[in-house]
Amino acid sequence: MQVLSNQFTRSFLLLILCFQQPACKHHHPVSESLKQAFEIQKEALKIASEVDSLTKTVSDDSLKSSILISKSEWMKQKISIEALEPHDHSKCNHDHSHDSEISITDEDMILVQKEWRDSIWALKHKILSIK
C-alpha cells in the first residue's frame, strides 16, 4: 500500500531538490522568519513522533512497513535550519567555509518547512483514517 500519493511525493521531492542543505553559517542575526521556520520544523518533528506511536498500533505488517518507509523517506527530506539547531563547532572536523550554490531566503524557508510538516501531517491522517 502506498501511503503518500505519488504526485504529492514527487512535488515535495522536487521542491527539496531545488534547495541544497544550508552550510554551517552563524555570522548573521537570526531573523523572525527563520525562527518561525524553526518552530514549524519542531511541529513537524512532534507530528513525526505521533506517527511513530500510531505505527506501533498497526497490526498489518505490510501496512506498518509502508508507513515506516514513508516516514524514513520523509525524514531524509529534512532541511536543517543550521543557525537554530544545536551544533557544537568545537568537535567539528569539517569545513564551515563552504558556500551554498543555491541560497534560500528565510521567508522561503518557512514555505519549505510548511511543506515538510504538511507531508508528515498527511501521513498521520492517512494512518488515522485506516484505523
Side-chain angles (χ1 to χ4, degrees):
M1 175 179 176
Q2 196 165 17
V3 179
L4 293 176
S5 73
N6 283 337
Q7 183 179 2
F8 184 77
T9 302
R10 281 192 300 266
S11 298
F12 183 68
L13 291 175
L14 182 61
L15 175 69
I16 297 304
L17 289 175
C18 292
F19 305 104
Q20 287 183 340
Q21 181 140 342
C24 299
K25 297 178 185 176
H26 307 285
H27 54 75
H28 60 83
V30 177
S31 70
E32 288 304 313
S33 294
L34 205 54
K35 289 177 186 176
Q36 182 182 353
F38 189 62
E39 289 303 313
I40 294 166
Q41 183 182 83
K42 289 191 313 187
E43 182 183 348
L45 293 170
K46 182 179 183 287
I47 295 168
S49 178
E50 294 167 4
V51 166
D52 290 340
S53 295
L54 287 169
T55 302
K56 291 176 185 174
T57 66
V58 174
S59 58
D60 182 314
D61 288 340
S62 177
L63 178 58
K64 187 179 280 192
S65 176
S66 178
I67 293 167
L68 292 172
I69 290 168
S70 293
K71 189 200 172 235
S72 175
E73 291 300 314
W74 170 83
M75 194 62 194
K76 289 178 187 175
Q77 304 308 314
K78 180 183 179 198
I79 303 285
S80 296
I81 304 174
E82 299 291 337
L84 294 170
E85 291 185 3
H87 187 83
D88 183 0
H89 289 276
S90 67
K91 297 186 171 97
C92 284
N93 61 3
H94 59 276
D95 181 14
H96 287 90
S97 64
H98 56 283
D99 289 321
S100 176
E101 291 178 18
I102 300 172
S103 64
I104 179 171
T105 67
D106 294 351
E107 291 74 23
D108 285 341
M109 182 59 83
I110 292 172
L111 299 174
V112 168
Q113 296 301 328
K114 283 181 178 179
E115 185 75 25
W116 192 63
R117 178 205 54 207
D118 293 349
S119 64
I120 195 67
W121 182 87
L123 178 59
K124 175 186 174 183
H125 285 276
K126 182 74 171 178
I127 297 166
L128 290 171
S129 72
I130 294 168
K131 295 185 91 184

mmCIF file of all heavy atoms in Angstrom, residues 101-120:
data_model
loop_
_atom_site.group_PDB
_atom_site.id
_atom_site.type_symbol
_atom_site.label_atom_id
_atom_site.label_comp_id
_atom_site.label_asym_id
_atom_site.label_seq_id
_atom_site.Cartn_x
_atom_site.Cartn_y
_atom_site.Cartn_z
ATOM 1 N N GLU A 101 25.624 26.819 -3.383
ATOM 2 C CA GLU A 101 25.432 27.344 -4.731
ATOM 3 C C GLU A 101 24.045 27.950 -4.873
ATOM 4 O O GLU A 101 23.829 28.847 -5.661
ATOM 5 C CB GLU A 101 25.623 26.231 -5.755
ATOM 6 C CG GLU A 101 27.054 25.756 -5.852
ATOM 7 C CD GLU A 101 27.213 24.624 -6.844
ATOM 8 O OE1 GLU A 101 26.309 24.429 -7.690
ATOM 9 O OE2 GLU A 101 28.222 23.938 -6.774
ATOM 10 N N ILE A 102 23.096 27.430 -4.126
ATOM 11 C CA ILE A 102 21.722 27.927 -4.150
ATOM 12 C C ILE A 102 21.405 28.435 -2.759
ATOM 13 O O ILE A 102 21.556 27.730 -1.778
ATOM 14 C CB ILE A 102 20.732 26.802 -4.518
ATOM 15 C CG1 ILE A 102 21.065 26.234 -5.888
ATOM 16 C CG2 ILE A 102 19.314 27.306 -4.457
ATOM 17 C CD1 ILE A 102 20.270 25.015 -6.251
ATOM 18 N N SER A 103 20.974 29.667 -2.672
ATOM 19 C CA SER A 103 20.610 30.189 -1.361
ATOM 20 C C SER A 103 19.098 30.248 -1.270
ATOM 21 O O SER A 103 18.397 30.317 -2.271
ATOM 22 C CB SER A 103 21.236 31.560 -1.128
ATOM 23 O OG SER A 103 20.726 32.485 -2.056
ATOM 24 N N ILE A 104 18.621 30.210 -0.074
ATOM 25 C CA ILE A 104 17.184 30.259 0.179
ATOM 26 C C ILE A 104 16.930 31.365 1.189
ATOM 27 O O ILE A 104 17.658 31.485 2.172
ATOM 28 C CB ILE A 104 16.673 28.888 0.673
ATOM 29 C CG1 ILE A 104 15.177 28.928 0.952
ATOM 30 C CG2 ILE A 104 17.429 28.399 1.862
ATOM 31 C CD1 ILE A 104 14.567 27.580 1.234
ATOM 32 N N THR A 105 15.938 32.157 0.922
ATOM 33 C CA THR A 105 15.631 33.240 1.847
ATOM 34 C C THR A 105 14.970 32.663 3.093
ATOM 35 O O THR A 105 14.430 31.550 3.079
ATOM 36 C CB THR A 105 14.678 34.273 1.211
ATOM 37 O OG1 THR A 105 13.409 33.646 0.996
ATOM 38 C CG2 THR A 105 15.238 34.827 -0.090
ATOM 39 N N ASP A 106 15.019 33.424 4.144
ATOM 40 C CA ASP A 106 14.367 32.979 5.383
ATOM 41 C C ASP A 106 12.869 32.810 5.174
ATOM 42 O O ASP A 106 12.254 31.892 5.725
ATOM 43 C CB ASP A 106 14.643 33.977 6.513
ATOM 44 C CG ASP A 106 16.115 34.019 6.901
ATOM 45 O OD1 ASP A 106 16.895 33.167 6.417
ATOM 46 O OD2 ASP A 106 16.491 34.907 7.685
ATOM 47 N N GLU A 107 12.273 33.662 4.351
ATOM 48 C CA GLU A 107 10.838 33.567 4.070
ATOM 49 C C GLU A 107 10.527 32.292 3.280
ATOM 50 O O GLU A 107 9.513 31.636 3.523
ATOM 51 C CB GLU A 107 10.353 34.803 3.303
ATOM 52 C CG GLU A 107 10.352 36.084 4.123
ATOM 53 C CD GLU A 107 11.754 36.669 4.366
ATOM 54 O OE1 GLU A 107 12.692 36.380 3.590
ATOM 55 O OE2 GLU A 107 11.902 37.409 5.355
ATOM 56 N N ASP A 108 11.402 31.939 2.345
ATOM 57 C CA ASP A 108 11.206 30.699 1.602
ATOM 58 C C ASP A 108 11.404 29.478 2.492
ATOM 59 O O ASP A 108 10.777 28.440 2.277
ATOM 60 C CB ASP A 108 12.157 30.620 0.407
ATOM 61 C CG ASP A 108 11.740 31.530 -0.735
ATOM 62 O OD1 ASP A 108 10.559 31.944 -0.765
ATOM 63 O OD2 ASP A 108 12.598 31.836 -1.591
ATOM 64 N N MET A 109 12.260 29.608 3.505
ATOM 65 C CA MET A 109 12.462 28.502 4.439
ATOM 66 C C MET A 109 11.164 28.195 5.178
ATOM 67 O O MET A 109 10.875 27.038 5.468
ATOM 68 C CB MET A 109 13.589 28.817 5.427
ATOM 69 C CG MET A 109 13.879 27.684 6.397
ATOM 70 S SD MET A 109 14.353 26.119 5.616
ATOM 71 C CE MET A 109 16.092 26.421 5.360
ATOM 72 N N ILE A 110 10.370 29.208 5.447
ATOM 73 C CA ILE A 110 9.059 28.982 6.070
ATOM 74 C C ILE A 110 8.219 28.089 5.168
ATOM 75 O O ILE A 110 7.605 27.116 5.629
ATOM 76 C CB ILE A 110 8.325 30.323 6.334
ATOM 77 C CG1 ILE A 110 9.052 31.113 7.426
ATOM 78 C CG2 ILE A 110 6.866 30.065 6.731
ATOM 79 C CD1 ILE A 110 8.514 32.531 7.602
ATOM 80 N N LEU A 111 8.194 28.388 3.878
ATOM 81 C CA LEU A 111 7.408 27.591 2.931
ATOM 82 C C LEU A 111 7.914 26.161 2.849
ATOM 83 O O LEU A 111 7.121 25.212 2.798
ATOM 84 C CB LEU A 111 7.428 28.243 1.552
ATOM 85 C CG LEU A 111 6.839 29.649 1.462
ATOM 86 C CD1 LEU A 111 7.046 30.227 0.069
ATOM 87 C CD2 LEU A 111 5.369 29.637 1.840
ATOM 88 N N VAL A 112 9.220 25.994 2.836
ATOM 89 C CA VAL A 112 9.812 24.652 2.785
ATOM 90 C C VAL A 112 9.425 23.856 4.022
ATOM 91 O O VAL A 112 9.015 22.693 3.935
ATOM 92 C CB VAL A 112 11.349 24.734 2.643
ATOM 93 C CG1 VAL A 112 12.000 23.384 2.873
ATOM 94 C CG2 VAL A 112 11.729 25.292 1.285
ATOM 95 N N GLN A 113 9.532 24.483 5.179
ATOM 96 C CA GLN A 113 9.200 23.783 6.423
ATOM 97 C C GLN A 113 7.710 23.473 6.505
ATOM 98 O O GLN A 113 7.320 22.413 7.014
ATOM 99 C CB GLN A 113 9.660 24.594 7.640
ATOM 100 C CG GLN A 113 11.161 24.764 7.737
ATOM 101 C CD GLN A 113 11.920 23.460 7.802
ATOM 102 O OE1 GLN A 113 11.458 22.463 8.334
ATOM 103 N NE2 GLN A 113 13.131 23.466 7.255
ATOM 104 N N LYS A 114 6.863 24.349 5.997
ATOM 105 C CA LYS A 114 5.422 24.071 5.976
ATOM 106 C C LYS A 114 5.113 22.871 5.094
ATOM 107 O O LYS A 114 4.305 22.008 5.453
ATOM 108 C CB LYS A 114 4.636 25.294 5.485
ATOM 109 C CG LYS A 114 4.483 26.374 6.524
ATOM 110 C CD LYS A 114 3.666 27.540 5.980
ATOM 111 C CE LYS A 114 3.463 28.605 7.046
ATOM 112 N NZ LYS A 114 2.682 29.749 6.519
ATOM 113 N N GLU A 115 5.745 22.814 3.939
ATOM 114 C CA GLU A 115 5.536 21.685 3.024
ATOM 115 C C GLU A 115 5.981 20.387 3.690
ATOM 116 O O GLU A 115 5.304 19.358 3.598
ATOM 117 C CB GLU A 115 6.316 21.924 1.730
ATOM 118 C CG GLU A 115 6.090 20.891 0.680
ATOM 119 C CD GLU A 115 4.745 21.024 -0.009
ATOM 120 O OE1 GLU A 115 4.182 22.126 -0.047
ATOM 121 O OE2 GLU A 115 4.258 19.991 -0.520
ATOM 122 N N TRP A 116 7.120 20.443 4.368
ATOM 123 C CA TRP A 116 7.656 19.262 5.059
ATOM 124 C C TRP A 116 6.709 18.826 6.180
ATOM 125 O O TRP A 116 6.383 17.664 6.320
ATOM 126 C CB TRP A 116 9.056 19.592 5.591
ATOM 127 C CG TRP A 116 9.849 18.438 6.072
ATOM 128 C CD1 TRP A 116 10.287 17.376 5.331
ATOM 129 C CD2 TRP A 116 10.328 18.213 7.395
ATOM 130 N NE1 TRP A 116 11.012 16.518 6.121
ATOM 131 C CE2 TRP A 116 11.056 17.016 7.394
ATOM 132 C CE3 TRP A 116 10.217 18.942 8.580
ATOM 133 C CZ2 TRP A 116 11.666 16.503 8.522
ATOM 134 C CZ3 TRP A 116 10.841 18.440 9.712
ATOM 135 C CH2 TRP A 116 11.541 17.225 9.674
ATOM 136 N N ARG A 117 6.239 19.792 6.953
ATOM 137 C CA ARG A 117 5.287 19.497 8.038
ATOM 138 C C ARG A 117 3.983 18.934 7.483
ATOM 139 O O ARG A 117 3.441 17.949 8.002
ATOM 140 C CB ARG A 117 5.000 20.771 8.836
ATOM 141 C CG ARG A 117 3.988 20.549 9.959
ATOM 142 C CD ARG A 117 3.238 21.780 10.364
ATOM 143 N NE ARG A 117 2.596 22.430 9.229
ATOM 144 C CZ ARG A 117 2.337 23.729 9.190
ATOM 145 N NH1 ARG A 117 2.662 24.524 10.182
ATOM 146 N NH2 ARG A 117 1.738 24.256 8.141
ATOM 147 N N ASP A 118 3.485 19.528 6.433
ATOM 148 C CA ASP A 118 2.212 19.088 5.864
ATOM 149 C C ASP A 118 2.285 17.656 5.337
ATOM 150 O O ASP A 118 1.302 16.916 5.387
ATOM 151 C CB ASP A 118 1.752 20.038 4.765
ATOM 152 C CG ASP A 118 1.382 21.410 5.311
ATOM 153 O OD1 ASP A 118 1.287 21.574 6.546
ATOM 154 O OD2 ASP A 118 1.208 22.338 4.484
ATOM 155 N N SER A 119 3.446 17.260 4.848
ATOM 156 C CA SER A 119 3.573 15.895 4.328
ATOM 157 C C SER A 119 3.541 14.860 5.448
ATOM 158 O O SER A 119 2.943 13.798 5.282
ATOM 159 C CB SER A 119 4.831 15.747 3.469
ATOM 160 O OG SER A 119 5.991 15.937 4.225
ATOM 161 N N ILE A 120 4.106 15.151 6.613
ATOM 162 C CA ILE A 120 4.032 14.189 7.726
ATOM 163 C C ILE A 120 2.632 14.235 8.344
ATOM 164 O O ILE A 120 2.113 13.223 8.801
ATOM 165 C CB ILE A 120 5.149 14.411 8.775
ATOM 166 C CG1 ILE A 120 5.285 13.195 9.709
ATOM 167 C CG2 ILE A 120 4.928 15.661 9.594
ATOM 168 C CD1 ILE A 120 5.794 11.939 9.049
#
